[in-house]
Amino acid sequence: MKQSGWRLPDILAILNGLPHGVALLDHEARLLGMNHALERLTGYPAAQVQGVAADAVLCSHLSHRNPLYRQATESGGPVASEGDLVGASRKKIPVRLTVSPVGNGEGNAPGLLVVVEDLSLFRALEKERGGGLEVKGIIGHSPRLQEVLDFVPVLAHTDATVLLTGETGTGKDLFAEAIHHASRRAGAPFIKVNCGALPENLLESELFGHARGAFTGAHADKPGMFRLAQGGTIFLTEIGDLPLPLQVKLLTVLDDRAFYPLGSSKRVQVDVRVVAGTHRNLKELVVQGKFRQDLFFRLNVLNVHLPPLRERDGDVAFLADHFLQQFAVGQRKAIGGFSAKALARLTAYGYPGNVRELRNIVEYAVSVCRGGEILPEHLPEYMGRTQALSPLSSSTAVPASGPATALAGEASWQGAEKRLIMEALLRSKGNRGEAARELGWGRSTLWRKMKQHGLG
C-alpha cells in the first residue's frame, strides 16, 4: 500500500525493530498494518487483519467511536490509556495504549499511530516488590501515589502505631485495610471505628465495651471493638474528633495494651495494632488544647500523608475512566468515554472531596447520559460555574457530596462550612438525617457542627 511521501512496507520494516507493538490505522480506525511485536501479542498475522476495524483486533479502546481516537486527533498530540488487550487466544493482557495522530504530509485526514506496551511483566514485578500485595480499591499511577503505596510493605512488617493524614476522600480507610491485609495480622479481624460518629458515652462503650448494668439500658455485657479486634487491627478514623476523656483511655491502651470496660473493675488485656486517621491538623489541635500532646506523639510513630487528588498528576483521567466503566456496566449503558471538553473540565477541577467526589461526579454523569459519550452538559453544573477548587485549610476538607459552590466567595473555612450546613438543611426541609447523608456526615457530627456554628 502506498501513500504520498512514504511507503507502508518501509515504515513497517522500521517499526519491526521496536520492542513494543505498533499499529497503523487509517482515519476510520481500520488497520493498515502492524509490526511483528504486535502480531505476537495479539496472535493475529498482519496480512489476515488488514482493513479490519481496530477494536475487533486489539480492544474496544481503539474503536473510532471511542473518544480516545478523537481526543488524539483534536489535541494533535498523544493520548494514553491503560486496559486489557484480548487477542486470538482470548486471554486478557494488561497493556498501555499511546495513540498519536499522523498525517501524510499533504493535509489530508490523519490516520492513527498506536503503540501497545505489554504491562504483564511490570504487573508481576509490582506484586513481587510488594510481597504479592494488591492494594484493593486504591487506583492510580501518579508518582505521588506510588510513593505512598511503596511504603505499605514497610508498614506491614511492623506493629508500630500508624497515623494516616490527608483530606477527606483520599482513601485513608482503604490504605489502613491494605496495611492490615499485608501484615502478619491478616487472618485476624480488621475493625473500623469512626471517632466522630457517636456521642462520648456511646463511643466509650463502642470502643471498650461495658459491663451489665453500667448504665440504663445495659442489660448485658458488651465486648467493645478493641476486644473484637483481638489479634488484628483497629482503625480509628477521624481521631481528631475523639473527646479528651477518651484520649486518656486510648493512651492507656497504647501504653499498657489493657483497659477497663465501662462500669467494670475487671482489666482486659488485648493484642491489637492501632492505625489512626484524620483529615484535621493534630498539631494545631494540640496548640488549641483540643488534643493531648502525649497521645499525638504516641500515635505519630509512623506517619503517612495521602496526597489529595489535585496533586496526583494524570490520575483524574485514569480514575474517571475506571469509574465510568464501573457505572456503565452497573447501569447497563453503552458509554464509550468522555468527550475532549468533558475530560478537560474534569481535569481542570480541584476536587475538594478528592477521589470520593470524582466518583460521585462520574456516577451522576453516567446516570444522566443518554448517548454513547459523556459530554460537558452531563457533568454537575457547579463544575462549569466555578474555577478549580481546593480546600481552604490543610486541616479541613469539603464533604465529598456537599455542594462545592458553597465555598465560592467565603473568607474562611468556618463560614464555608456553616453555609454548607444551612444549604443542606434548606434542601432537606430541616430533616437532619437527610442533610447529614448529603454532607457525608453522621447525625451526631452534624449536630455537633450545628452547635459550633450556632445553628442548633
Side-chain angles (χ1 to χ4, degrees):
M1 174 178 262
K2 183 177 180 180
Q3 299 281 345
S4 177
W6 51 267
R7 294 176 64 252
L8 185 60
D10 296 336
I11 290 181
L12 288 175
I14 297 173
L15 298 180
N16 282 334
L18 298 178
H20 300 305
V22 181
L24 284 169
L25 281 57
D26 64 15
H27 67 283
E28 294 184 349
R30 295 189 301 255
L31 278 164
L32 296 175
M34 55 186 184
N35 67 353
H36 294 331
L38 192 53
E39 285 181 312
R40 291 191 295 270
L41 199 60
T42 63
Y44 293 114
Q48 178 182 323
V49 296
Q50 189 174 24
V52 176
D55 59 326
V57 178
L58 302 178
C59 62
S60 60
H61 289 286
L62 299 182
S63 168
H64 67 283
R65 295 183 296 275
N66 189 281
L68 190 64
Y69 169 67
R70 184 159 50 256
Q71 290 167 19
T73 303
E74 292 178 356
S75 67
V79 175
S81 179
E82 292 190 6
D84 291 326
L85 183 151
V86 181
S89 66
R90 313 313 299 169
K91 179 182 177 182
K92 286 186 177 182
I93 304 171
V95 296
R96 177 184 292 112
L97 309 170
T98 304
V99 184
S100 304
V102 293
N104 60 10
E106 296 182 351
N108 294 339
L112 199 65
L113 176 71
V114 183
V115 178
V116 184
E117 300 174 68
D118 184 354
L119 300 180
S120 301
L121 179 60
F122 176 74
R123 293 286 184 262
L125 290 173
E126 270 191 334
K127 288 187 178 182
E128 181 180 344
R129 181 181 60 181
L133 173 68
E134 291 185 4
V135 185
K136 184 179 179 181
I138 301 180
I139 303 166
H141 293 283
S142 67
R144 286 291 309 277
L145 181 63
Q146 289 304 313
E147 288 177 8
V148 175
L149 296 183
D150 287 345
F151 203 38
V152 170
V154 178
L155 300 174
H157 285 85
T158 176
D159 264 351
T161 305
V162 178
L163 178 62
L164 303 178
T165 59
E167 297 170 8
T168 298
T170 50
K172 294 184 290 295
D173 53 344
L174 295 174
F175 196 81
E177 192 167 0
I179 295 171
H180 168 74
H181 287 302
S183 72
R184 65 175 180 83
R185 298 178 178 270
F190 173 81
I191 303 291
K192 175 182 174 181
V193 181
N194 190 327
C195 297
L198 294 171
E200 181 181 332
N201 60 330
L202 293 180
L203 181 59
E204 182 175 4
S205 173
E206 184 76 5
L207 287 171
F208 306 110
H210 63 251
R212 179 182 178 182
F215 51 85
T216 303
H219 302 301
D221 292 348
K222 178 179 178 179
M225 292 303 180
F226 266 94
R227 290 179 69 179
L228 292 177
Q230 176 65 23
T233 304
I234 188 166
F235 176 47
L236 304 177
T237 181
E238 301 308 336
I239 192 68
D241 293 332
L242 189 68
L244 281 168
L246 293 187
Q247 291 180 28
V248 177
K249 197 161 187 176
L250 176 58
L251 184 62
T252 302
V253 176
L254 292 172
D255 288 337
D256 301 336
R257 300 292 174 181
F259 60 88
Y260 290 93
L262 189 63
S264 173
S265 59
K266 185 177 179 181
R267 193 169 187 253
V268 175
Q269 200 80 28
V270 289
D271 173 25
V272 176
R273 184 185 191 181
V274 175
V275 178
T278 182
H279 70 282
R280 307 181 69 180
N281 189 322
L282 294 186
K283 290 183 179 179
E284 290 184 2
L285 294 181
V286 169
V287 173
Q288 296 168 11
K290 297 179 180 179
F291 201 85
R292 292 181 62 95
Q293 186 178 52
D294 49 3
L295 178 59
F296 170 69
F297 290 145
R298 192 65 182 79
L299 292 172
N300 199 38
V301 178
L302 295 171
N303 180 275
V304 180
H305 181 75
L306 274 65
L309 184 56
R310 64 183 177 277
E311 295 179 7
R312 292 168 48 179
D313 294 341
D315 276 355
V316 169
F318 185 83
L319 284 163
D321 183 64
H322 169 79
F323 292 138
L324 172 62
Q325 294 178 36
Q326 184 182 85
F327 290 122
V329 170
Q331 298 184 31
R332 298 181 180 179
K333 290 187 175 183
I335 302 177
F338 300 89
S339 71
K341 289 184 178 179
L343 187 61
R345 185 170 295 180
L346 284 168
T347 54
Y349 184 61
Y351 298 100
N354 291 289
V355 177
R356 189 182 298 135
E357 183 181 15
L358 174 58
R359 186 180 187 276
N360 292 342
I361 287 171
V362 176
E363 183 177 16
Y364 170 84
V366 171
S367 299
V368 302
C369 179
R370 296 293 179 266
E373 184 178 64
I374 301 295
L375 303 175
E377 52 263 35
H378 298 139
L379 300 176
E381 290 184 9
Y382 67 79
M383 294 183 69
R385 291 199 304 265
T386 61
Q387 297 178 347
L389 300 175
S390 60
L392 299 180
S393 169
S394 60
S395 62
T396 54
V398 180
S401 58
T405 48
L407 284 177
E410 295 291 350
S412 68
W413 166 251
Q414 293 297 320
E417 187 174 65
K418 182 177 180 179
R419 184 175 170 185
L420 280 170
I421 295 170
M422 292 172 63
E423 290 185 355
L425 288 170
L426 285 172
R427 282 190 295 274
S428 66
K429 298 179 180 179
N431 188 312
R432 296 187 181 184
E434 289 184 13
R437 283 192 294 273
E438 178 183 329
L439 292 166
W441 295 336
R443 289 175 62 93
S444 61
T445 300
L446 176 61
W447 176 84
R448 186 176 67 256
K449 288 181 178 292
M450 287 177 64
K451 295 288 287 183
Q452 290 175 355
H453 295 296
L455 300 175

